[in-house]
Amino acid sequence: MELFDLSAHELADLLKKREITAIDIAGAIIKRVHQVDEDVRSYVTLNEEDALEAAREIDENWSKMDAVSPLAGIPMGLKDNICTKGVRTTCSSRMLEKFIPPYSATVADRLTEAGAVLMGKLNMDEFAMGSTTESSYFFPTHNPWDLARVPGGSSGGSAAAVAAGEAVYALGSDTGGSIRQPAAFCGIVGMKPTNGLLSRNGVVPFASSLDTVGPLTKDVRDCALVLNAISGHDPLDSVSVPMEIPDYTTFLTGDIKGKRVGIIREMIDEGLDAGIGQVFKNAVNILEELGAVVEECSLPTAVSSVPIYHIISSAEASSNLARFDGVRYGYRAVPEKGKDFSLEEMYMKTRGEGFGPEVKRRILMGTYVLSSGCYEKYYLKATKVRTLIREDFQRLFEQFDVLITPTTPNLPFRLGEEVDDSLTIYNFDKYTLPVNMAGLPAISLPCGFVEDLPVGMQIIGPAFAEGALFQVAYAFEQNTPYHQERPRFQGQSAAKTVKGSEING
Amino acid sequence: MVLTREDLKQVAMLAQIELDEAESNELHSQLNDLLQYVGSIDSIDTENVEPTFYLLPLKNVWRLDEDSQPPLAPDYVFQNAPGHERGFFKVPRIL
């Protein structure tokens, strides 16, 4: 194993024993980025010198630090919608191509306080709208398991970077599945926390009632460590909840005897890829062997979460993205030589040229569903259906501790595939979307391989029950080998991938 | 067609986004497909169901009416502005 293959807690152990230094780790990750990023293209902005400087500081101060955070000296990457003071934050959009934030997001500050080393900013679908990372203004990111395939999205750069060893862990954002789906596609762990568990201050908003920030990591312990560091109330995000945050690593017991686990029937339906279905079945058997009590259950409103997501998220986006007007920051269209714009022309051209097609489509959709005469039919109706979905989940959690599903019904698409048919692609999010509609926490973790491509299992819990998710996920992970697999390509020269299917029992 | 050409023009004006001919054509058909699809929720019975606008029972979270955060220094305020002059944002002539 190379240093770039190790998890944060494994590296922290080596650091603690002073067998390696933070500079060693940062150097190994930077070398890895140079080796593979030409193929993977995770990074929009690489922060090489600052990362080395931060690592050097950690090493110098190591002996002076009383209680060393387990994330100190560990290199990580941030999705490029998380503001970083002095480091370009683009949302992978032309609109923010040159934007240098004057302050950092609270989650970024919390990681810095924990001694994290920022490697750089990671590619995403433009303004987090998409599920392939192909709508990035700059370039698409490639899946490290098969470079011809997408890493998922919208946090595709975050997931690909962690899977390829270009960052030890990353943060992403999840509005409709944008952490869990790319985590599943790239064979890593990704968590969408309960809405309100942590601050979104400084994270460029897409749909405020749905947006969450969360970790993408190599294993479940890392995920708990990162969540420990970023959770908690922040006065700058008024809907973050003032509450005691437990130490999530205390839930990593490995014991799930008697846990009541529900399989959502609507998410093992005819739309599910047969190979994924088989892998998921094996995963369920493992949970049963570990002592969980597994039963099928029904979430009849699940199917409605796709249309209401498109109404609610677009409506909120149309309002949130109104701030991009070419006045205070961001792109501004320039008139032809010798001509002047009126103010309105400047707005219209700026937004017409600064936003990509997917973003425009969603803003227009949102504007329409909020316009007079449409509000009741679309927006208000959707918010009522959302209540029904929440009630459906509440009913299930009277009976079950957690619910499980495959994270996605499909394997990662090939680059360029399906993008012409947006309705088809929307349906691929139907296992992750209901969770956002109800604001619940969910984790995706590797549960096997199909055709050498990773498959994810999603575990969903009641609000603020992240601990229960860690408990079940950790027990499963410790009894399976999937999280130890790494894509074995070495840059363009030797494209040798590990045969994931060989270890699938 | 739920959304007419005129509707699209009106919506683009409301959203302040200029669309060229090709974009308008494409968006017109895509948005109609999407609206038809999301219209399927019409058949769900929501009689006597309260809407959920936000998921947490938090209402009107105010901070105390006192200085809480120092404002951004002017250099930071203008560092990303496409146009500024003498401590103001610069925009095209309005009057």
Side-chain angles (χ1 to χ4, degrees):
Chain A
M1 280 248 179
E2 305 267 358
L3 282 184
F4 63 74
D5 280 327
L6 300 181
S7 65
H9 64 87
E10 287 166 335
L11 290 166
D13 287 345
L14 295 174
L15 272 173
K16 218 168 272 168
K17 292 187 231 153
R18 299 315 281 159
E19 285 179 21
I20 52 168
T21 62
I23 284 281
D24 293 337
I25 305 173
I29 298 290
I30 288 169
K31 197 174 148 201
R32 180 65 172 170
V33 173
H34 287 303
Q35 185 189 15
V36 302
D37 204 51
E38 205 175 302
D39 293 331
V40 180
R41 310 228 66 188
S42 300
Y43 281 95
V44 173
T45 305
L46 188 62
N47 201 26
E48 211 173 305
E49 278 171 28
D50 290 348
L52 285 170
E53 183 53 41
R56 197 170 296 125
E57 247 177 67
I58 295 281
D59 282 335
E60 277 168 14
N61 295 321
W62 191 269
S63 53
K64 286 179 242 161
M65 295 195 267
D66 320 325
V68 181
S69 148
L71 297 177
I74 309 293
M76 57 83 186
L78 297 175
K79 186 175 183 178
D80 212 15
N81 58 353
I82 300 173
C83 283
T84 41
K85 187 174 177 175
V87 180
R88 188 170 76 127
T89 300
T90 68
C91 283
S92 290
S93 177
R94 184 183 193 188
M95 191 58 96
L96 290 175
E97 191 178 2
K98 295 176 183 150
F99 179 67
I100 313 277
Y103 61 90
S104 288
T106 300
V107 286
D109 277 340
R110 287 192 177 160
L111 288 179
T112 307
E113 281 159 27
V117 172
L118 174 65
M119 286 301 307
K121 306 301 293 291
L122 298 162
N123 201 19
M124 54 188 279
D125 281 298
E126 185 178 359
F127 283 104
M129 297 172 184
S131 41
T132 65
T133 312
E134 289 170 298
S135 77
S136 164
Y137 170 65
F138 304 111
F139 42 77
T141 297
H142 299 250
N143 190 317
W145 291 92
D146 177 351
L147 295 172
R149 290 176 192 267
V150 302
S154 64
S155 312
S158 299
V162 174
E166 297 182 275
V168 181
Y169 67 92
L171 294 188
S173 65
D174 193 317
T175 303
S178 283
I179 289 174
R180 291 158 287 154
Q181 182 253 29
F185 278 5
C186 291
I188 60 169
V189 175
M191 178 181 256
K192 175 219 168 285
T194 311
N195 292 60
L197 182 75
L198 51 85
S199 167
R200 287 106 33 100
N201 169 54
V203 180
V204 181
F206 160 15
S208 304
S209 81
L210 304 169
D211 292 344
T212 51
V213 178
L216 294 104
T217 61
K218 288 187 170 135
D219 63 19
V220 175
R221 181 172 293 278
D222 275 9
C223 192
L225 289 171
V226 177
L227 197 66
N228 274 349
I230 61 176
S231 295
H233 175 65
D234 172 15
L236 296 177
D237 180 350
S238 57
V239 292
S240 66
V241 178
M243 60 180 274
E244 278 286 310
I245 305 291
D247 173 358
Y248 290 113
T249 61
T250 59
F251 293 95
L252 310 179
T253 60
D255 178 20
I256 55 164
K257 277 197 191 71
K259 277 268 170 206
R260 299 165 305 163
V261 176
I263 303 174
I264 302 175
R265 189 175 299 137
E266 287 77 7
M267 301 187 193
I268 43 170
D269 58 2
E270 67 283 354
L272 178 63
D273 173 273
I276 295 180
Q278 193 51 49
V279 163
F280 181 70
K281 222 170 171 180
N282 293 344
V284 172
N285 289 340
I286 292 167
L287 289 175
E288 281 184 321
E289 282 164 24
L290 292 170
V293 183
V294 186
E295 251 181 87
E296 254 189 46
C297 61
S298 175
L299 189 79
T301 51
V303 62
S304 315
S305 62
V306 187
I308 74 161
Y309 163 79
H310 284 284
I311 294 171
I312 294 170
S313 69
S314 301
E316 294 183 14
S318 73
S319 165
N320 271 326
L321 272 64
R323 73 190 67 198
F324 298 104
D325 58 2
V327 174
R328 289 153 304 155
Y329 43 76
Y331 177 80
R332 179 190 284 191
V334 182
E336 281 171 47
K337 236 189 161 144
K339 286 195 178 157
D340 284 323
F341 283 153
S342 68
L343 185 67
E344 183 154 279
E345 278 171 339
M346 190 277 279
Y347 287 153
M348 302 273 294
K349 297 254 187 215
T350 291
R351 291 165 63 79
E353 293 169 12
F355 291 132
E358 181 69 29
V359 177
K360 287 186 213 175
R361 180 158 64 225
R362 299 213 194 191
I363 292 175
L364 293 170
M365 170 79 178
T367 308
Y368 182 72
V369 298
L370 287 176
S371 63
S372 78
C374 295
Y375 176 86
E376 279 83 9
K377 177 174 160 62
Y378 294 106
Y379 182 72
L380 192 63
K381 180 82 182 181
T383 59
K384 290 179 179 174
V385 175
R386 188 179 187 179
T387 304
L388 296 177
I389 296 176
R390 294 182 67 193
E391 289 171 354
D392 248 8
F393 271 116
Q394 275 163 8
R395 188 175 49 73
L396 287 180
F397 285 123
E398 284 166 15
Q399 211 184 329
F400 297 103
D401 297 310
V402 297
L403 304 170
I404 57 171
T405 78
T407 307
T408 63
N410 57 304
L411 294 167
F413 332 101
R414 288 177 193 286
L415 270 110
E417 188 183 16
E418 306 285 2
V419 282
D420 291 338
D421 185 358
S422 45
L423 285 183
T424 313
I425 225 168
Y426 293 152
N427 254 324
F428 287 129
D429 297 330
K430 66 180 174 191
Y431 298 171
T432 49
L433 281 173
V435 172
N436 298 77
M437 294 308 116
L440 303 174
I443 192 169
S444 174
L445 74 163
C447 73
F449 291 84
V450 172
E451 296 162 18
D452 301 335
L453 293 166
V455 172
M457 170 167 66
Q458 174 176 237
I459 311 174
I460 307 165
F464 301 107
E466 278 78 2
L469 303 188
F470 283 127
Q471 190 182 351
V472 177
Y474 185 74
F476 179 84
E477 178 190 86
Q478 292 306 301
N479 288 282
T480 51
Y482 312 118
H483 65 290
Q484 288 159 341
E485 291 307 311
R486 303 279 185 267
R488 289 286 165 225
F489 72 103
Q490 298 295 335
Q492 288 191 336
S493 46
K496 191 179 176 306
T497 19
V498 69
K499 288 270 180 213
S501 52
E502 285 170 7
I503 57 154
N504 201 25
Chain B
M1 288 276 168
V2 188
L3 182 88
T4 64
R5 290 271 172 182
E6 272 310 300
D7 291 338
L8 178 61
K9 227 170 143 183
Q10 170 72 7
V11 169
M13 194 277 291
L14 287 172
Q16 299 276 288
I17 294 178
E18 185 174 90
L19 303 172
D20 63 32
E21 187 67 23
E23 264 180 319
S24 293
N25 289 338
E26 203 180 338
L27 281 164
H28 184 245
S29 99
Q30 285 172 344
L31 287 172
N32 270 304
D33 286 349
L34 188 54
L35 284 166
Q36 195 186 358
Y37 168 66
V38 302
S40 65
I41 61 169
D42 244 357
S43 60
I44 301 170
D45 180 8
T46 51
E47 191 78 36
N48 301 321
V49 176
E50 289 293 315
T52 296
F53 295 112
Y54 197 68
L55 299 148
L56 297 166
L58 296 168
K59 273 218 170 95
N60 297 343
V61 184
W62 308 112
R63 69 166 171 79
L64 291 176
D65 188 16
E66 58 188 28
D67 286 349
S68 55
Q69 274 244 319
L72 282 178
D75 284 356
Y76 278 131
V77 173
F78 294 113
Q79 89 181 354
N80 287 294
H84 63 100
E85 202 176 303
R86 286 176 291 168
F88 294 96
F89 292 109
K90 201 174 170 184
V91 294
R93 200 185 166 88
I94 295 169
L95 292 172

